[in-house]
Amino acid sequence: MRTRRHEPEVHSITAAPEPLAQDVARRQRRYLVQMGVRLVCFLAAIVTWSHVPMWGSLILIAAAVVLPYVAVIFANAGRERRDEMEPFVDPREIGPGTAQSQLENHPPAGDGGQP
């Protein structure tokens, strides 16, 4: 049975943003559901017009009038940003070297290479 001494690093893609096609499909579904609720409010206002107090039907009509505006605002909201996302690039910095190590690696040209 072989064991690996050094396994390659596994990268996680959980911080990757949602694909654009899925985002658009999700927003379209939300918009259609809201328009369905609007249709139900409008039809309920027509059916209940003479059977319930006037204010009940007017509330349903007001909801049917306001829902398209709200639905469009939510549909055009776009992709949300997540503040807790991990950075895609791990910034690493090499600190400055000492003057002595730089001289050992690259002696001055006028010396002829003698320390």
Side-chain angles (χ1 to χ4, degrees):
M1 181 181 238
R2 291 182 2 184
T3 60
R4 292 185 184 178
R5 293 182 185 194
H6 178 67
E7 295 201 16
E9 182 181 354
V10 177
H11 297 282
S12 173
I13 62 167
T14 58
E18 178 183 27
L20 183 60
Q22 288 180 359
D23 180 54
V24 170
R26 179 183 47 81
R27 290 190 291 147
Q28 285 176 344
R29 278 191 306 271
R30 187 180 350 170
Y31 179 79
L32 290 174
V33 166
Q34 290 173 344
M35 288 297 100
V37 170
R38 176 186 185 237
L39 181 64
V40 168
C41 286
F42 186 71
L43 292 176
I46 291 173
V47 169
T48 62
W49 184 259
S50 62
H51 302 295
V52 296
M54 181 71 69
W55 60 268
S57 296
L58 291 178
I59 288 176
L60 290 171
I61 290 173
V65 168
V66 172
L67 272 173
Y69 176 75
V70 174
V72 167
I73 294 295
F74 282 130
N76 290 333
R79 302 174 81 163
E80 292 83 14
R81 292 185 182 191
R82 291 189 250 164
D83 291 334
E84 69 273 0
M85 285 188 355
E86 297 176 16
F88 291 114
V89 178
D90 184 20
R92 296 183 184 178
E93 186 176 307
I94 298 175
T98 62
Q100 182 62 30
S101 66
Q102 290 176 357
L103 286 176
E104 289 173 2
N105 293 334
H106 302 286
D111 260 0
Q114 301 296 324

